[in-house]
Amino acid sequence: SVTDNLLLGIKGGEISNPNDPNIWTVERIFHHFPKLSERANQKGRFLSGGEQQMLTIGRSLMGNPKLLLVDEPTEGLAPLLVKEVRDILEGIHKVGVSILLVEHNIKVALSLASRVYLMGKAHIGFAGSREELEAQPEIKAKYLEV
């Protein structure tokens, strides 16, 4: 079930201090992901693509990470779900979890990023802030245009 999937994410099998407001619990995950709360007893394989992404992120948060690694969270999602996943990631960051995001959707990536790394042919071709990237149209053209 969705709840069982979330519980699998707990490091060591138990939450150290469930009363700490900064600790991720099933209840806190359900607060941030109300759609998951509605499907708490449903099997994860029957969730939509967007709901599965939420469940994956929620399960990762149950380990109470300081850094969340997220790989292509919007891949294959409908535009409305892309916005929802993007907003969820922004909310997670606002409550103090750093995020390392690998994302081909440049609009989503730049809307969330404080630092940007562009890769091409197995090397990092740019590292800097969003503002630094905006100031270098030749870099944007080289790495971001088709």
Side-chain angles (χ1 to χ4, degrees), residues 54-120:
M54 291 176 209
L55 181 56
T56 299
I57 293 167
R59 186 175 52 243
S60 298
L61 290 171
M62 289 294 293
N64 289 288
K66 293 180 181 164
L67 173 65
L68 184 64
L69 307 175
V70 186
D71 185 20
E72 299 286 344
T74 66
E75 184 177 15
L77 298 181
L80 188 59
L81 288 176
V82 168
K83 181 186 180 328
E84 188 170 355
V85 169
R86 183 239 165 263
D87 292 347
I88 287 166
L89 291 172
E90 181 179 48
I92 290 166
H93 178 68
K94 284 182 179 177
V95 297
V97 178
S98 296
I99 298 174
L100 176 60
L101 174 68
V102 176
E103 179 61 70
H104 279 92
N105 183 326
I106 193 65
K107 288 181 182 180
V108 168
L110 291 177
S111 74
L112 293 168
S114 55
R115 296 277 308 157
V116 177
Y117 298 86
L118 299 177
M119 294 183 67

Side-chain angles (χ1 to χ4, degrees), residues 1-2 5 39 41-49 51-52 55:
S1 70
V2 167
N5 264 275
R39 291 165 174 58
N41 298 314
Q42 187 172 336
K43 292 193 183 301
R45 68 176 181 233
F46 296 121
L47 300 177
S48 71
E51 292 165 344
Q52 287 180 5
L55 181 56

Side-chain angles (χ1 to χ4, degrees), residues 122-143:
H123 77 279
I124 296 176
F126 172 82
S129 69
R130 287 183 304 214
E131 294 78 15
E132 291 169 327
L133 179 60
E134 288 299 324
Q136 298 183 48
E138 68 284 353
I139 295 290
K140 284 179 71 174
K142 181 177 180 179
Y143 289 94

